Amino acid sequence: MPGSAKSAKISLKEEELQKIEEEKQRQEEELAKQEQEQEEKKRRTREKTEALKQLKPSQYERTLSWLDKSQTYMTNTKKEEKCAFEFEKFQRNGNRPDPVEVKSINTFLSLLKDKSVHDLKAVFGDVKLMMSLLDELYLTNRKYSDGVSEAVMKKREENVISMEHLIAQRYNDLTLKTLEDATFIVDSDTGNLERVCGGDHETILVWANLTRNPRMTGFEFRSENLSMDVPGIIALADVGIRILITKYDHYSQKCSTFYPKKLPEIQNDAEKGREQVVLIVENKQEGEAETPAAAQENEQSPKDGEPPEAGAAEVAAAETEEAYDESEEQVESVKEEQVEDDILDPDVVDLRQFTRLGQIFKFEILKMPPQPLVVTGGWTLTALVKEPLSMIKYPDDVIVKELPKQEGEPDGDEEGKPVLPKPPTEPEPTKLGVKMKAPEKVIFYEEPQLARWDPKDHHWKTSGFSDFVYDDVQKMISFQTDDFYTFCLLQDTHLNMPFQTWELRCTGENTATFSVIAACSENVFEIKDTDVRLMKPETGASTEFEHFYDKWMAPDALILLMQAAGNNIFPDVDSTNFVSVADKVIDIEPIYDQMAFLSPSFAFAWSRFSNDVRSDELVMQVIPVVNPTDNSNPIVEDPRAATYIIQPDRSYKLAVTEQMVRLSYDEARGCPCQTDLAHAVRMTPLPKDIKGELLKQLNKRVDDGDSPMVATVRYLLNATKVLTFS
């Protein structure tokens, strides 16, 4: 019995060892199989990459030829616009100078400076003319200044400043004339001057204190919904107050924060470094094969949401990631240094982050000129004073240094007694209260930011006032201020970003709709040839947009109106610094060109996977539009809707659908990779289109697409940057 038990124990141990050996052998075989599969996948990846590299030159040339029609149209249109602009200037009256010609505008300004104007109609006529010249000059600088030297641009800026000064002088001349005649145009109810006059670009409110009534606490311009509470020192002072309300802004462009900052040339060096790294990696892929251990290491660190069968672009991205780090760190270091150099005072408004909305309100306290005196016999004595309009310092030049002596009050010297020093008194209050109507045709999605202009360092600042209240229902604002300032209201430039969804679809031969659902507004653009309009929604329409709802106009004109109204859905070059979106490193402009080119037959829409891809990848929905006039169902519910991914070296239809939860980089079956979006969309078979007849029809409609509509679609896509800001 003991011997048999011992032999049984030995047999059991041998069986365990055999099982361990078999398990080990099985694991080795499994590992070898995985390594073999990885090597096979690498081989297929290299073959696919090599095939795409061989295919890229021909497809690139074909894409350029496809886009050439639209590009040629846009180039010719720009030339025609410039010719029409020049011809319009040629046809104008000879009394109107050309603001671009330095000699002409200098002569014009010299003549205006020598011309003394006090008449209301003449003043506003001169201002209107100069404002039209400024608008023309801004338009020329923005659209037709390619190749203009820096010296000429600097001279134009000097002319702009000269015209701004001359406009201010015209306002001063009119105000001085009004104050000189204050006695004859007093308000019968208050006994003080309350005058309102306005032109196309401005409204001037003038108040003069003629009664010096100590019980007076303020004044009101009812027609303008503006009132002002003043302290006692103003009630007793010989002063006037001017409130200049202008629709234009000659201040913000002088701020250091108005224009976007440019990174130093080191950024270009980093980009060149990236290209060199890509070439090195490509050569490495051609000449070397990774070791199994290295392949295994790469396979153990996949991107979140990425399946094991990642494409060649993912493998290349993983291999170049470390090489990119150095150049990326270099650029980030430069950005950090630049931020440190651009640190502003806490009260300075950054105009890259905030936008002025509505009018400019300039409050000034003025020295009253001598008033006419009516004497016995009906004669009027007027002092002829050639002094210009004089602004005074508040409160120093307003505080009454010595109160007038009351009748019957004994004088210290007459009594033979010395004048006793007066006991100390509380300082006079100097706070000013302002209440006025918020700017019309402007929407504030949140409480606006009040700011004052600092003429010393040329910035808008948030200091100098208190008790700011914005009544969203009555559209009124009120605040307390310690001085007479120039004020404006601002709103966060990027309050409407990022966007929630977007969609582009054709609706006819030369028409399309483009919708952008932003953070605070829903915007649906209707496109027809070269014109576009913002469609008025059936419910929830904003009264502030009534002046441009459903009105056809050029896209750049509509964009300016929407931005001025506070509905900004048009990011700037540096908006990624202020909006929580991924800063894409892929060149997006060619993709917008291809989307516009394909728009006569294919719709595009936001994809739920937009935030799941890398910085050098884009993803969107692409839907064939078989019947453009059929708008009965949402386009994204079309069963042919597909999700496409765009990578630096390829584009293809994904196997994943929008109903799935997790992104997969697998290609859709029977839908091979192409080198760009245009080829991927035009060459990917459609469901239930076995013979490809439907795809041929769609491609023909693309080739015959309306160039004006395509150009307008391209403009709006570039203006909204929906692929980055959604």
Side-chain angles (χ1 to χ4, degrees):
M1 292 293 294
S4 61
K6 185 176 181 180
S7 61
K9 186 182 292 187
I10 293 173
S11 299
L12 184 60
K13 187 174 182 181
E14 289 176 352
E15 289 178 3
E16 292 177 355
L17 291 174
Q18 185 177 357
K19 287 181 180 180
I20 293 174
E21 187 66 27
E22 290 175 354
E23 179 64 23
K24 182 178 180 181
Q25 184 177 357
R26 189 188 64 79
Q27 290 179 355
E28 290 176 351
E29 291 175 354
E30 184 68 24
L31 181 59
K33 183 179 179 181
Q34 290 179 1
E35 291 176 353
Q36 185 177 0
E37 290 176 351
Q38 291 169 4
E39 288 298 323
E40 180 64 20
K41 185 179 67 174
K42 294 292 185 181
R43 184 188 64 79
R44 291 196 304 267
T45 295
R46 286 193 295 269
E47 289 178 354
K48 187 180 294 185
T49 302
E50 183 61 30
L52 287 172
K53 286 174 62 178
Q54 297 294 330
L55 191 62
K56 189 172 183 64
S58 61
Q59 289 198 347
Y60 177 73
E61 292 297 329
R62 191 182 300 117
T63 301
L64 290 181
S65 67
W66 287 340
L67 300 179
D68 182 66
K69 179 183 176 182
S70 176
Q71 296 288 353
T72 302
Y73 170 80
M74 288 185 289
T75 302
N76 293 337
T77 300
K78 189 173 182 179
K79 291 180 180 178
E80 291 173 1
E81 287 179 356
K82 187 174 182 180
C83 290
F85 179 70
E86 295 293 339
F87 185 68
E88 182 185 353
K89 290 200 303 184
F90 177 76
Q91 287 185 312
R92 287 180 188 144
N93 191 303
N95 294 329
R96 177 188 172 90
D98 185 352
V100 178
E101 294 183 6
V102 176
K103 184 177 180 181
S104 174
I105 197 66
N106 283 342
T107 303
F108 169 75
L109 292 176
S110 298
L111 293 174
L112 278 186
K113 287 177 182 177
D114 297 336
K115 173 184 171 185
S116 179
V117 176
H118 300 282
D119 177 70
L120 184 69
K121 185 176 180 180
V123 167
F124 288 145
D126 285 351
V127 171
K128 183 178 180 179
L129 175 58
M130 284 185 282
M131 285 302 304
S132 68
L133 293 175
L134 287 172
D135 290 341
E136 184 178 321
L137 189 55
Y138 292 145
L139 177 64
T140 304
N141 290 343
R142 188 174 72 249
K143 298 183 67 174
Y144 310 119
S145 293
D146 295 341
V148 177
S149 67
E150 192 173 325
V152 173
M153 294 298 292
K154 185 175 182 181
K155 189 62 181 176
R156 290 181 183 177
E157 292 177 4
E158 294 174 357
N159 288 337
V160 167
I161 295 174
S162 298
M163 279 190 278
E164 291 174 359
H165 287 168
L166 191 52
I167 289 173
Q169 184 58 47
R170 285 289 184 266
Y171 292 150
N172 289 345
D173 293 342
L174 178 61
T175 304
L176 180 61
K177 178 63 176 174
T178 302
L179 292 177
E180 288 175 345
D181 297 339
T183 301
F184 303 116
I185 51 178
V186 297
D187 181 75
S188 57
D189 294 333
T190 64
N192 293 321
L193 169 67
E194 292 181 7
R195 184 77 183 275
V196 179
C197 51
D200 293 343
H201 303 278
E202 66 287 294
T203 301
I204 302 177
L205 314 179
V206 182
W207 176 85
N209 187 19
L210 301 177
T211 60
R212 302 190 203 176
N213 183 354
R215 291 187 296 274
M216 193 268 298
T217 59
F219 56 88
E220 180 182 7
F221 293 95
R222 291 186 178 88
S223 62
E224 304 301 318
N225 282 323
L226 189 149
S227 62
M228 195 168 183
D229 297 331
V230 297
I233 57 172
I234 290 183
L236 297 172
D238 185 20
V239 295
I241 293 176
R242 179 176 71 177
I243 305 170
L244 175 61
I245 307 173
T246 60
K247 297 178 182 178
Y248 56 84
D249 179 7
H250 289 165
Y251 298 96
S252 297
Q253 294 184 4
K254 301 174 184 178
C255 294
S256 62
T257 63
F258 183 76
Y259 299 99
K261 300 295 182 182
K262 294 182 179 179
L263 282 175
E265 292 298 323
I266 190 171
Q267 186 176 15
N268 295 333
D269 296 337
E271 293 297 330
K272 293 178 182 177
R274 287 186 174 191
E275 295 176 3
Q276 294 172 358
V277 169
V278 171
L279 290 175
I280 292 172
V281 173
E282 288 178 351
N283 292 334
K284 177 181 177 182
Q285 290 177 343
E286 291 178 4
E288 293 183 21
E290 275 190 274
T291 63
Q296 183 178 359
E297 183 179 351
N298 288 339
E299 288 299 318
Q300 289 175 351
S301 56
K303 183 181 182 290
D304 291 342
E306 180 183 333
E309 282 77 14
E314 291 73 37
V315 177
E319 292 176 347
T320 57
E321 186 175 356
E322 293 183 2
Y324 285 164
D325 285 345
E326 183 177 353
S327 53
E328 287 288 349
E329 289 175 3
Q330 193 177 16
V331 174
E332 290 301 323
S333 175
V334 172
K335 287 182 179 180
E336 290 176 4
E337 292 177 4
Q338 187 183 49
V339 169
E340 291 177 0
D341 294 339
D342 295 339
I343 292 178
L344 304 171
D345 292 336
D347 63 338
V348 172
V349 177
D350 185 356
L351 292 183
R352 302 309 306 159
Q353 189 172 1
F354 290 89
T355 298
R356 177 201 59 83
L357 294 178
Q359 303 99 316
I360 302 289
F361 300 85
K362 186 175 185 178
F363 290 74
E364 296 171 293
I365 185 166
L366 313 170
K367 179 182 178 182
M368 284 292 293
Q371 294 299 300
L373 180 64
V374 179
V375 296
T376 305
W379 291 91
T380 301
L381 302 180
T382 304
L384 299 179
V385 181
K386 294 185 178 181
E387 295 180 359
L389 187 68
S390 177
M391 287 73 175
I392 59 180
K393 187 178 180 181
Y394 182 82
D396 298 349
D397 295 343
V398 180
I399 295 177
V400 180
K401 302 297 183 181
E402 185 175 327
L403 293 175
K405 185 173 65 175
Q406 300 294 329
E407 266 188 51
E409 181 180 351
D411 186 48
D413 293 335
E414 294 176 1
E415 297 290 332
K417 299 178 182 180
V419 178
L420 298 176
K422 296 180 180 180
T425 58
E426 292 291 330
E428 290 282 351
T430 59
K431 282 282 187 179
L432 307 163
V434 177
K435 185 176 183 179
M436 60 186 180
K437 191 78 172 176
E440 297 179 349
K441 299 180 181 180
V442 173
I443 188 168
F444 292 104
Y445 292 111
E446 63 180 18
E447 183 178 288
Q449 175 70 65
L450 180 67
R452 65 174 178 85
W453 178 252
D454 188 337
K456 294 182 179 179
D457 61 359
H458 295 154
H459 280 115
W460 290 107
K461 294 186 175 181
T462 57
S463 58
F465 42 79
S466 60
D467 301 331
F468 175 73
V469 177
Y470 171 65
D471 186 342
D472 186 35
V473 177
Q474 300 295 327
K475 303 297 181 184
M476 297 291 294
I477 61 174
S478 61
F479 58 91
Q480 298 281 325
T481 177
D482 57 11
D483 204 343
F484 288 81
Y485 294 119
T486 299
F487 296 98
C488 76
L489 295 175
L490 303 107
Q491 182 171 258
D492 187 343
T493 304
H494 308 93
L495 190 66
N496 227 353
M497 307 173 200
F499 312 137
Q500 298 178 24
T501 62
W502 60 270
E503 181 184 300
L504 168 67
R505 64 160 298 166
C506 61
T507 56
E509 291 184 2
N510 62 343
T511 59
T513 58
F514 178 48
S515 62
V516 179
I517 310 303
C520 304
S521 64
E522 296 184 7
N523 308 273
V524 180
F525 301 93
E526 185 176 359
I527 302 165
K528 184 177 182 181
D529 291 329
T530 58
D531 290 333
V532 62
R533 66 175 178 173
L534 182 67
M535 300 176 67
K536 183 177 181 179
E538 296 180 359
T539 59
S542 299
T543 57
E544 294 84 357
F545 304 158
E546 289 291 341
H547 59 294
F548 57 79
Y549 267 145
D550 292 332
K551 291 182 172 59
W552 292 101
M553 62 188 77
D556 55 346
L558 179 58
I559 289 173
L560 291 176
L561 285 174
M562 291 179 64
Q563 290 177 324
N567 185 21
N568 184 27
I569 59 171
F570 309 99
D572 214 329
V573 293
D574 59 347
S575 292
T576 52
N577 297 333
F578 307 101
V579 184
S580 180
V581 293
D583 192 1
K584 295 293 184 180
V585 297
I586 189 172
D587 189 5
I588 301 181
E589 187 171 347
I591 300 171
Y592 290 139
D593 293 345
Q594 295 171 45
M595 291 171 63
F597 166 69
L598 296 167
S599 62
S601 290
F602 296 91
F604 300 89
W606 172 83
S607 170
R608 62 177 302 174
F609 302 114
S610 296
N611 295 325
D612 298 332
V613 295
R614 297 187 181 91
S615 60
D616 61 347
E617 297 172 342
L618 295 169
V619 64
M620 70 181 78
Q621 293 187 74
V622 180
I623 309 100
V625 181
V626 179
N627 184 5
T629 59
D630 182 11
N631 299 322
S632 57
N633 295 316
I635 192 68
V636 293
E637 295 181 3
D638 192 301
R640 289 177 288 252
T643 304
Y644 279 70
I645 191 167
I646 304 165
Q647 297 169 336
D649 64 340
R650 70 193 64 198
S651 180
Y652 59 93
K653 176 182 175 181
L654 293 170
V656 70
T657 65
E658 292 294 311
Q659 289 71 37
M660 296 182 180
V661 176
R662 187 176 180 182
L663 172 65
S664 170
Y665 283 80
D666 289 345
E667 301 170 11
R669 181 174 297 180
C671 303
C673 297
Q674 304 297 333
T675 59
D676 57 34
L677 177 66
H679 281 86
V681 173
R682 292 182 61 126
M683 299 177 68
T684 298
L686 299 176
K688 299 181 181 180
D689 184 27
I690 300 175
K691 295 183 179 180
E693 294 298 328
L694 177 58
L695 186 59
K696 288 180 181 179
Q697 295 176 16
L698 295 176
N699 286 337
K700 186 178 186 306
R701 198 197 302 162
V702 168
D703 294 332
D704 298 337
D706 184 67
S707 294
M709 186 206 75
V710 170
T712 307
V713 168
R714 175 183 179 274
Y715 190 94
L716 288 177
L717 287 173
N718 278 282
T720 53
K721 298 179 176 62
V722 288
L723 293 179
T724 303
F725 286 84
S726 297

